[in-house]
Amino acid sequence: MTTSGPSDRPGGGTERQNWVERRREKIRAEIDRNRRGDYTVPTWVLALALILIVGGWLALIFLA
């Protein structure tokens, strides 16, 4: 019984290597941006902060 692995598919190893290289390049670019001070806060962090602020405000109103 044979299984199809990455080496059985033509170009499978190359696809993975290209993906790894693209990922590394994205990480390097992000680190460079952060070092220059061009970093941004992720959207999920901003959404979480907004939810916490509104939730705290509502808690003060309804529990006071």
Side-chain angles (χ1 to χ4, degrees), residues 22-38:
R22 284 193 312 267
R23 180 73 181 142
R24 285 182 182 158
E25 184 56 37
K26 285 175 69 175
I27 291 170
R28 285 186 194 113
E30 182 177 355
I31 290 170
D32 288 341
R33 280 193 308 271
N34 290 346
R35 287 182 178 161
R36 288 192 311 263
D38 295 342

Side-chain angles (χ1 to χ4, degrees), residues 50-64:
L50 179 62
I51 290 169
L52 290 174
I53 290 169
V54 171
W57 183 72
L58 290 173
L60 282 174
I61 291 173
F62 290 112
L63 298 177

Side-chain angles (χ1 to χ4, degrees), residues 4 11 15 19 21-22 39 41 49 52 55-58:
S4 62
E15 274 183 33
W19 179 83
E21 287 300 318
R22 284 193 312 267
Y39 59 89
V41 179
L52 290 174
W57 183 72
L58 290 173

